[in-house]
C-alpha cells in the first residue's frame, strides 16, 4: 500500500533498524514505547488487521517470531504482554503485534 507507514518501512523507504527480519516479517521498536521493551512484529505484506489474516503459514510464522522475540529480549521471567488491536481499535491499519515488557503482575489490567 502506497501510503501505509509500515509498508514504507518494509520497502526501506523510511530508514529503520530492525530487531529481526526475514522475507515475511519485520520487527522493530515502537516509536512511542509504553514499556522499556516495546516491539512491533509485523508481516511485510499489507494485511489490514488481524481478522483479515487468512494465511495459516504466515500465522504460524508470526507466532514463532513472537516466541523468538520473548527469548531474545529475555522476557521469559520478567513479565510480558502481547497485544493486537483490531476491529477499529488500531491506529495503524497494517497488522502489527505489540510485545511489551517487563510487566509486573500487579500492573496487569
Ligand atoms: P495500534 O494502536 O495501531 O495498535 O498501534 C500503532 C503503533 O505504531 C503505536 O504504538 C505507534 O507508536 C506505532 N507507530 C506508529 N508509527 C510508527 C513509526 O513510524 N515507527 C514506529 N517504530 N512505530 C510507529
Ligand atoms: Zn501496509
Amino acid at each position: 500500500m502506497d501510503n501505509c507507514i509500515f509498508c514504507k518501512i518494509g520497502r526501506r523507504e523510511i530508514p529503520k533498524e530492525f530487531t529481526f527480519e526475514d522475507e515475511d516479517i519485520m520487527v522493530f521498536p515502537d516509536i512511542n514505547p509504553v514499556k522499556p521493551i516495546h516491539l512491533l512484529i509485523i508481516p511485510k505484506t499489507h494485511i489490514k488487521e488481524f481478522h483479515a489474516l487468512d494465511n495459516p503459514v504466515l500465522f504460524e510464522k508470526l507466532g514463532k517470531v513472537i516466541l523468538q522475540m520473548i527469548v531474545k529480549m529475555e522476557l521469559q521471567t520478567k513479565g510480558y504482554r502481547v497485544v493486537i488491536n483490531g476491529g477499529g481499535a488500531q491506529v495503524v491499519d497494517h497488522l502489527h503485534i505489540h510485545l511489551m515488557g517487563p510487566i509486573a503482575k500487579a500492573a496487569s489490567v
Side-chain angles (χ1 to χ4, degrees), residues 1-77:
M1 283 267 284
D2 284 356
N3 259 340
C4 170
I5 184 79
F6 290 165
C7 283
K8 285 182 181 174
I9 292 170
R11 289 195 300 264
R12 297 294 196 171
E13 291 170 21
I14 297 170
K16 185 74 73 178
E17 193 172 326
F18 287 166
T19 309
F20 169 89
E21 180 185 20
D22 68 12
E23 66 274 24
D24 299 317
I25 294 169
M26 58 188 169
V27 180
F28 50 81
D30 196 294
I31 205 166
N32 188 19
V34 300
K35 293 291 172 188
I37 297 166
H38 185 164
L39 296 179
L40 300 175
I41 297 157
I42 310 177
K44 288 183 175 175
T45 185
H46 185 86
I47 295 165
K48 184 172 179 284
E49 55 188 315
F50 184 57
H51 63 267
L53 174 56
D54 61 359
N55 178 340
V57 175
L58 183 57
F59 185 92
E60 185 178 352
K61 277 197 83 169
L62 284 165
K64 283 184 179 162
V65 173
I66 294 169
L67 296 173
Q68 282 171 21
M69 293 304 104
I70 289 167
V71 173
K72 182 180 172 76
M73 306 316 286
E74 301 182 337
L75 288 171
Q76 302 100 309
T77 58

